[in-house]
Amino acid sequence: MSFHNIIGGTSGMRGRLKTFGRAALVSAAATLAMPLVAQEADSASILIYDASGSMWGQLDGGISKVEIAREVIGDFFVSRDNSIPLGVIAYGHNRRGDCSDIEVVANVGINDPAGLSSSLNRLNPRGMTPITDALSLAASMIPPTAESADIILVTDGLETCEADPCALAAQLANEGIAIRAHVVGFGLTREEGEVMACVADATGGLLLTPQTGQELADALRQVAQVEPAPAPEPEPVAEAFFDMGPKAEAGHDYRISFQGSARNVDYAGFTRRGEEAPDVSPSYGVLGGGETGNNPFTRTAPSEPGEYDLILAVTGQGIIARQPIEVVPPSNGFDAVGSVEPDKRFQFTWRGPNQVGQRIVIARPAAAPADYVGDWGAPFSNRKTQTMRLRAPKEPGLYELRYISGNSQEILFSRAFGVGVPYEDRDGINTADLAAQAAAATQAAPGQDDLPMVPATFRLPPDYPQEPHEWSAIPLDPDMSPEAWAPSGKTIIGEGVFEPGRYEVTANWGPKDTFKGVVEILPGQDNDFVIPVMSEEDPIVPTLDGPWQVLGVPPYQVQAGADRLLTLALEQASPGAPIDGSWTAQDMLAGPQAAGREGTFTSTTFENGALRMTFTVGDPILEPMTLYLTPYEIGYAGTLSAGAMGISVVMWPGGYTPPSLAEMREAVHGPAPGDFVDMTSSAPQPMQAGEAAAAANVPVRLRTPFEIGDVGVQWSAIRTDMQELNVAFASSDLETSFVTELAAGGTYEVEGVNSDAGIYLADTITIDPKGRNDFEIPMAQGRDSGPSETGLGDDVAFVCKDTPPGCPVSHAESGISLRLPNDWSMSEPYFYETAGGAGSGLPTASFFWESFGTVNTIELNPRQWLESNGRCGTVGTSQLCYMRGQDMMLDVVFEMIRDTLSVAPTDLQEETTLPVDLGGMSPEEFMTRLGVN
């Protein structure tokens, strides 16, 4: 087993509640801007104002909720005790469909009530309802000296951003100060109020559901008059609490963090409510780790539902932290199988706990749990996809697919299917339904935040002839539907129903004057507009104001898609006015360590039709970056550069669908070469009969699963969709990773075998002509899975975490040294040997980084590397390579590794010699024959 070195800082929970997503960035700025009086206050209040699209909904009397809320909250600002510092947050008022649309309207402090009212009145509802992130941001704004605080959430709906406000409220309840979160559910139904009750209940706040303006005023007055809660009594160890929601699914694994630290000999896990520490089991055990215990750690929720506590027990002190957890019944099961052919492999999907030792088997319906036939598989080996293939029994009949416990004594769940006989599965439950059942019931109904359609009227100026005109309106806001309004025929007055937002309205009448103007149509206002005349000398010129996205456009020789590199929020008051705004880095620009990083532009100019903007992202791209763009359709095209490095880009209005990859490539790189075939964005053409054998081959990589460590296998594959091809390849060497080329669109049964180690891998793969064909082949046939999983895999030698400059790495046995980039890992180096006994004098290793479930790798001295696989570069006598089609950031990281990598000679390298047959000549004679003096 390899030794794992964890390099860099620790990332445990420190200080107050963790913030999430953009809320963390906003909270940092809010803290810096907090007035001194607020930072020294012993109490504070933060009001969260819902400005999502649903606030345009009408109450009895035809008045919108937002109009009532503006008036009532304005009165609340005036009537409350202004000596208590107040902060205000709003969400959903800038962009539709954007869960990061949260803004600090006023920092915590003594604010002018009239100014606060004016700020809220300028907000027009349009977006989502990110309640959880808004609560998190509010908690982070509480002054550090405050002993108590009140968060007042005024909302007309439930969470719409796939987050769990109940879990966050449970964390708030564990804070070191008395934080109460009050929910003022304006217009919420009784059922919706019950969903949000968890927030108030967990924090000791109030839950109020006013339905009218007067009831809203009474609710805010009631919240303001609540006496401050006393500060909680300190726990034995105030820092020890667990980062986990109030419920857990029986039998499922949970990754759990805790505040503070503990030793590797201390214990943590589940015990019955109020009871002492239980016996060691998968649900309770020693933390393990280095000098300090593992944080986070993994535990399996108890298999029996009920009331439990999550505890931390310290040797010599007993239980020092206890948190109530309700273990609920699991939502496990199989998708329907139906009928399959005898003695044929079939694929199925499940949702289950996926613990080591558990099995999925095939059995007769009346058979005992341990009585199963033929093929079986290990769900732990396929836990990421929860999909596998088994071979059906040879004998036809009715069978069950069963998920059984590790001791083979209990059937956890099952599903019937037919083998060689018709079988109609009438059970409508599938794994998607089960996953939905397991999710917290805190999400709003679809469409809650949709904006209502608004009627509007357009008129000609009264001093012009009132003649029929052709009317049209073009949406201007990037988050609106791009479809224009253009009724047929001519009318004196234009009338229609519109999505709220800005429009360019035009009235045409032959060669006469054209009337044109920009209007903003909103609910709750008199949308009756007079459209002015526009002469040819006074055209409307659009500004750059609004959201934009910057897309990287790869050249034709790079088979990759267009990745979003930046999002921009530009500000320009009028055409020709100065350009200002901010940028946000995306994961594909500078890797995960810079993802979400925001900043402003160093300079912005628009001269001679070219837009130039400069900014600095920081580590790992330290040099200033420059966007140089010229107009392209409704956006811009050009380059994004830093020093000598650059990439072609397209800047496109946010909310609008960008052009296709082919169109953007042609705009920035010119026409495609005659022999170019795009394998990333174009679907493969249907093959005619007899053409399949001529299909183009594409690079394919096969990998062993992490749970078997560095044990290699002999790889082979049989193509199953074409009889004439039969065996595709078979290797004799034992390898953990195998690279080859297979036919695009082909289907193959792949096997990996190491009979000495008892390893058998099997799966069916289909080669995607436009994707990255990198397959992890799972265990099958129930063979032993090899070395136990260690979290990172036994073949990981170094991991760099929380160290932005990167981590210095030196591996003496292989002679490899480099600065490993932050969030990257390095495998254990080795010197491979072929089956014929020939050895390599150069070390082989992998550098890898996982992003959104996809592992991106750079290989040092890879085996069987083909030129078509991807890019390679030399480092002394070594080769550094990576497969094409991976994350675009690999270009940058490749150069970073290459610049710092060195491979020093080792004893193995120096002593490696290969016998050469010189045909009886001496070395001197041989060199003379070659013409070498």
Side-chain angles (χ1 to χ4, degrees):
M1 179 178 296
S2 304
F3 180 75
H4 292 199
N5 299 288
I6 306 299
I7 308 172
T10 58
S11 57
M13 297 178 63
R14 296 283 184 256
R16 186 155 295 160
L17 178 75
K18 294 185 296 183
T19 52
F20 302 91
R22 185 177 182 274
L25 303 174
V26 180
S27 69
T31 301
L32 292 174
M34 189 180 296
L36 183 60
V37 65
Q39 296 186 43
E40 298 177 349
D42 58 3
S43 65
S45 297
I46 296 98
L47 183 136
I48 301 175
Y49 175 67
D50 182 344
S52 64
S54 58
M55 284 290 284
W56 285 117
Q58 307 287 305
L59 296 176
D60 292 341
I63 303 177
S64 66
K65 287 180 281 188
V66 66
E67 293 174 275
I68 294 175
R70 286 169 176 167
E71 180 179 353
V72 172
I73 294 177
D75 292 340
F76 168 72
F77 289 149
V78 173
S79 62
R80 66 177 292 275
D81 183 357
N82 204 36
S83 66
I84 300 175
L86 174 69
V88 179
I89 295 171
Y91 59 72
H93 54 286
N94 288 313
R95 299 174 294 279
R96 295 172 206 183
D98 186 352
C99 287
S100 67
D101 184 9
I102 307 172
E103 181 180 355
V104 177
V105 177
N107 290 307
V108 176
I110 307 303
N111 291 292
D112 174 38
L116 292 178
S117 297
S118 177
S119 296
L120 285 195
N121 290 343
R122 290 196 296 267
L123 306 182
N124 285 317
R126 64 194 299 120
M128 304 290 282
T129 307
I131 290 175
T132 306
D133 275 4
L135 287 170
S136 175
L137 174 58
S140 72
M141 292 172 59
I142 298 171
T145 59
E147 297 178 358
S148 65
D150 290 279
I151 298 174
I152 307 165
L153 170 65
V154 180
T155 180
D156 77 324
L158 305 182
E159 173 75 60
T160 59
C161 288
E162 298 185 0
D164 187 355
C166 295
L168 179 64
Q171 292 186 18
L172 288 173
N174 284 284
E175 288 294 273
I177 62 174
I179 301 177
R180 294 177 302 185
H182 309 285
V183 179
V184 181
F186 188 26
L188 291 188
T189 64
R190 182 177 61 83
E191 293 79 9
E192 291 171 331
E194 291 175 353
V195 171
M196 291 301 297
C198 62
V199 174
D201 291 346
T203 61
L206 299 178
L207 171 66
L208 304 168
T209 55
Q211 303 296 312
T212 66
Q214 183 58 52
E215 290 179 1
L216 176 60
D218 293 342
L220 291 173
R221 190 177 305 110
Q222 184 177 349
V223 168
Q225 292 174 352
V226 173
E227 290 296 324
E233 292 295 326
E235 296 293 332
V237 177
E239 287 190 349
F241 70 91
F242 301 97
D243 181 16
M244 186 173 180
K247 296 182 180 181
E249 199 173 354
H252 284 247
D253 281 349
Y254 290 87
R255 191 81 167 152
I256 306 167
S257 299
F258 58 92
Q259 184 148 343
S261 61
R263 296 175 299 172
N264 55 6
V265 295
D266 296 330
Y267 286 73
F270 296 88
T271 188
R272 285 285 185 181
R273 179 68 52 81
E275 295 186 4
E276 293 302 310
D279 294 334
V280 173
S281 70
S283 299
Y284 180 80
V286 69
L287 287 174
E291 293 182 2
T292 59
N294 286 323
N295 185 7
F297 61 93
T298 299
R299 289 293 179 267
T300 303
S303 59
E304 182 179 346
E307 300 295 328
Y308 292 83
D309 288 332
L310 191 57
I311 63 173
L312 176 63
V314 173
T315 304
Q317 300 182 46
I319 298 174
I320 67 166
R322 185 185 292 267
Q323 180 174 317
I325 301 290
E326 180 187 358
V327 176
V328 300
S331 297
N332 297 329
F334 292 102
D335 276 347
V337 177
S339 297
V340 300
E341 295 184 46
D343 200 29
K344 295 288 186 182
R345 290 169 63 81
F346 64 98
Q347 183 170 301
F348 57 90
T349 303
W350 76 92
R351 185 180 189 276
N354 305 316
Q355 300 296 326
V356 175
Q358 294 175 342
R359 297 182 177 186
I360 295 178
V361 303
I362 301 171
R364 290 289 191 178
D371 184 11
Y372 47 89
V373 297
D375 208 358
W376 61 270
F380 179 80
S381 299
N382 297 266
R383 62 194 179 281
K384 292 182 180 179
T385 62
Q386 298 196 97
T387 298
M388 73 166 61
R389 295 169 62 88
L390 293 179
R391 188 173 297 279
K394 295 180 180 180
E395 182 179 349
L398 186 63
Y399 290 85
E400 284 182 349
L401 202 56
R402 292 178 174 178
Y403 192 113
I404 63 174
S405 61
N407 59 7
S408 299
Q409 299 301 307
E410 182 182 0
I411 301 172
L412 302 187
F413 53 92
S414 64
R415 191 147 190 167
F417 69 104
V419 175
V421 296
Y423 179 76
E424 182 181 359
D425 193 327
R426 297 184 179 181
D427 185 352
I429 296 296
N430 56 44
T431 53
D433 297 331
L434 295 169
Q437 291 174 13
T442 57
Q443 291 294 300
Q448 170 188 284
D449 293 329
D450 290 350
L451 294 174
M453 301 297 283
V454 181
T457 302
F458 311 123
R459 306 178 188 275
L460 302 175
D463 51 346
Y464 276 79
Q466 301 298 298
E467 301 287 350
H469 282 65
E470 292 179 344
W471 293 91
S472 64
I474 300 174
L476 297 180
D477 292 341
D479 56 0
M480 296 167 61
S481 170
E483 184 176 355
W485 171 78
S488 60
K490 297 181 179 180
T491 59
I492 298 175
I493 297 175
E495 295 179 298
V497 178
F498 299 87
E499 179 183 3
R502 296 186 307 127
Y503 292 82
E504 182 184 85
V505 181
T506 305
N508 289 316
W509 184 50
K512 298 286 186 178
D513 294 312
T514 295
F515 300 88
K516 184 178 289 189
V518 175
V519 303
E520 186 169 19
I521 301 173
L522 292 172
Q525 70 177 26
D526 183 14
N527 293 291
D528 194 327
F529 304 97
V530 175
I531 308 303
V533 67
M534 187 197 77
S535 66
E536 293 183 1
E537 292 77 23
D538 185 30
I540 292 180
V541 179
T543 70
L544 288 166
D545 196 73
W548 296 80
Q549 53 186 320
V550 178
L551 307 169
V553 183
Y556 288 108
Q557 60 266 36
V558 176
Q559 293 285 358
D563 291 312
R564 182 182 295 180
L565 307 178
L566 291 160
T567 55
L568 311 179
L570 300 183
E571 300 172 3
Q572 188 180 29
S574 60
I579 304 167
D580 202 352
S582 61
W583 53 266
T584 301
Q586 304 300 300
D587 191 64
M588 294 302 184
L589 177 69
Q593 66 267 42
R597 192 178 296 166
E598 297 178 329
T600 56
F601 294 101
T602 308
S603 65
T604 57
T605 59
F606 195 98
E607 297 177 354
N608 301 320
L611 173 64
R612 183 190 297 270
M613 297 182 286
T614 61
F615 58 99
T616 301
V617 172
D619 184 65
I621 305 177
L622 302 179
E623 293 183 310
M625 304 197 77
T626 300
L627 273 167
Y628 182 83
L629 306 161
T630 55
Y632 162 54
E633 296 187 1
I634 64 170
Y636 293 82
T639 60
L640 172 63
S641 60
M645 300 178 61
I647 184 174
S648 298
V649 296
V650 165
M651 188 175 89
W652 204 253
Y656 284 86
T657 302
S660 67
L661 177 60
E663 292 171 325
M664 291 191 290
R665 270 180 166 151
E666 184 170 2
V668 297
H669 299 302
D675 59 349
F676 174 71
V677 177
D678 188 356
M679 304 297 286
T680 61
S681 61
S682 303
Q685 297 297 318
M687 287 188 287
Q688 304 298 321
E691 290 183 353
N697 286 349
V698 296
V700 175
R701 184 187 185 193
L702 308 175
R703 294 182 285 109
T704 57
F706 270 126
E707 58 262 28
I708 71 170
D710 57 359
V711 180
V713 297
Q714 293 177 322
W715 296 97
S716 63
I718 297 176
R719 186 165 184 178
T720 58
D721 59 337
M722 292 185 63
Q723 294 181 354
E724 62 268 28
L725 287 188
N726 201 7
V727 178
F729 66 82
S731 69
S732 58
D733 296 335
L734 295 174
E735 301 177 73
T736 59
S737 176
F738 183 78
V739 177
T740 185
E741 288 193 344
L742 297 176
T747 299
Y748 297 83
E749 285 195 1
V750 178
E751 292 185 346
V753 179
N754 185 329
S755 55
D756 292 339
I759 300 295
Y760 177 66
L761 314 178
D763 201 2
T764 297
I765 63 174
T766 298
I767 309 306
D768 186 354
K770 61 180 181 179
R772 177 176 173 231
N773 293 288
D774 190 340
F775 300 97
E776 180 179 295
I777 308 301
M779 293 287 296
Q781 294 287 4
R783 302 298 179 90
D784 294 336
S785 60
S788 62
E789 183 170 285
T790 61
L792 293 171
D794 285 346
D795 60 344
V796 177
F798 299 97
V799 178
C800 185
K801 285 289 186 184
D802 304 316
T803 309
C807 305
V809 165
S810 180
H811 189 269
E813 292 84 353
S814 65
I816 296 175
S817 63
L818 75 154
R819 182 171 292 276
L820 189 63
N822 192 32
D823 290 327
W824 278 71
S825 303
M826 172 180 161
S827 70
E828 184 71 32
Y830 67 96
F831 295 85
Y832 63 77
E833 289 189 359
T834 68
S840 170
L842 296 172
T844 294
S846 297
F847 309 100
F848 55 92
W849 158 57
E850 185 169 352
S851 173
F852 300 104
T854 299
V855 177
N856 299 277
T857 59
I858 296 175
E859 309 280 353
L860 176 63
N861 297 319
R863 298 187 63 185
Q864 300 178 324
W865 192 267
L866 304 175
E867 185 177 352
S868 58
N869 290 349
R871 177 186 175 189
C872 285
T874 58
V875 180
T877 57
S878 294
Q879 265 202 328
L880 192 66
C881 309
Y882 67 91
M883 292 278 287
R884 67 180 65 214
Q886 300 189 74
D887 194 299
M888 290 185 66
M889 267 304 299
L890 259 68
D891 275 326
V892 176
V893 179
F894 178 87
E895 294 299 337
M896 292 171 59
I897 292 178
R898 188 179 179 186
D899 288 344
T900 63
L901 176 65
S902 67
V903 182
T906 64
D907 292 342
L908 177 59
Q909 297 175 47
E910 292 171 353
E911 294 175 2
T912 300
T913 58
L914 296 176
V916 179
D917 184 3
L918 301 182
M921 291 183 290
S922 67
E924 293 78 8
E925 292 174 328
F926 182 77
M927 297 301 287
T928 302
R929 281 286 182 92
L930 293 178
V932 179
N933 295 324

